[in-house]
Amino acid sequence: MSLRITGGIAKGIILKVPQKTPVRPALSKIRSAIFSSLGDWIEGKKVIDLYAGSGALGIEALSRGALCCTFVDKSRECCECIKNNLKKTHLEGKVILADVYKFLKSDTEQYDLVFASPPYFKEPKLLDDPLFSFVYPRLNPEGTFIYEFFSKNIVKLADQWLLSWEKSVGETKVWMLKPKCLSP
């Protein structure tokens, strides 16, 4: 599978994809749609790429001007792949080998942009993903959460989130979510 950076200073560079660990890298159509929607807002932002796989989303963000990116994946092969892709693109990021939930539970950082593309089975079902409640305290009030899932799933979205954008390509659906600012 060829995975090419679609914009920014690393545009055109082909990323490697882990061979042994099953991953589902964000297709260039999806990444282009996400980053077209984000526009220049991405510049100078603090990003985290959860279930990072090849690191394509975080590396795309860095290529387009994000200040920094933390990549989290529980696969050693994926983490090595991300490090190699960062070297190949001449970009820098922090790569963490960890379970996403355990990491978010202990992490104290705040992020402007959170990417999450959790593993999924291609079968229609109702999802009540606890990830939404783990991400919420890690996201800046003006931040954005990009969540990718199987398009035939029905995702239960907690009240603290506003759906600001969605895109479907093939079997994949992407939501752009904003945290609701609750008044005291």
Side-chain angles (χ1 to χ4, degrees), residues 11-26:
K11 183 178 181 175
I13 295 176
I14 296 173
L15 302 179
K16 294 204 181 284
V17 177
Q19 298 300 304
K20 296 176 186 166
T21 306
V23 294
R24 192 183 18 69

Side-chain angles (χ1 to χ4, degrees), residues 43-183:
E43 292 177 18
K45 299 298 189 255
K46 190 173 183 180
V47 178
I48 188 166
D49 188 351
L50 304 172
Y51 305 99
S54 65
L57 287 167
I59 291 171
E60 188 83 46
L62 289 169
S63 177
R64 292 171 181 254
L67 175 66
C68 59
C69 185
T70 300
F71 300 85
V72 182
D73 203 289
K74 70 177 183 179
S75 162
R76 190 171 305 282
E77 180 192 16
C78 289
C79 288
E80 287 306 313
C81 185
I82 294 163
K83 289 176 186 176
N84 289 332
N85 284 335
L86 285 166
K87 282 180 192 167
K88 190 173 186 180
T89 57
H90 304 289
L91 296 168
E92 293 182 18
K94 184 177 179 182
V95 180
I96 297 173
L97 176 65
D99 173 81
V100 164
Y101 293 103
K102 287 180 182 174
F103 174 78
L104 289 173
K105 199 180 269 190
S106 64
D107 187 33
T108 58
E109 296 292 323
Q110 291 269 285
Y111 301 93
D112 301 303
L113 179 60
V114 176
F115 291 112
S117 185
Y120 60 71
F121 297 100
K122 294 181 180 180
E123 55 187 52
K125 64 180 181 178
L126 176 65
L127 292 180
D128 189 6
D129 196 337
L131 185 62
F132 294 109
S133 61
F134 278 83
V135 166
Y136 190 81
R138 301 280 58 86
L139 191 64
N140 283 329
E142 300 298 318
T144 299
F145 178 27
I146 307 288
Y147 183 74
E148 187 178 317
F149 59 100
F150 180 54
S151 62
K152 292 187 173 133
N153 288 153
I154 298 166
V155 179
K156 187 176 177 185
L157 191 59
D159 287 340
Q160 71 234 42
W161 294 101
L162 292 170
L163 177 62
S164 66
W165 176 89
E166 76 178 321
K167 176 84 174 171
S168 292
V169 175
E171 298 179 330
T172 303
K173 185 177 273 189
V174 177
W175 280 354
M176 184 177 292
L177 303 164
K178 301 281 188 178
K180 283 184 183 175
C181 295
L182 304 174
S183 304

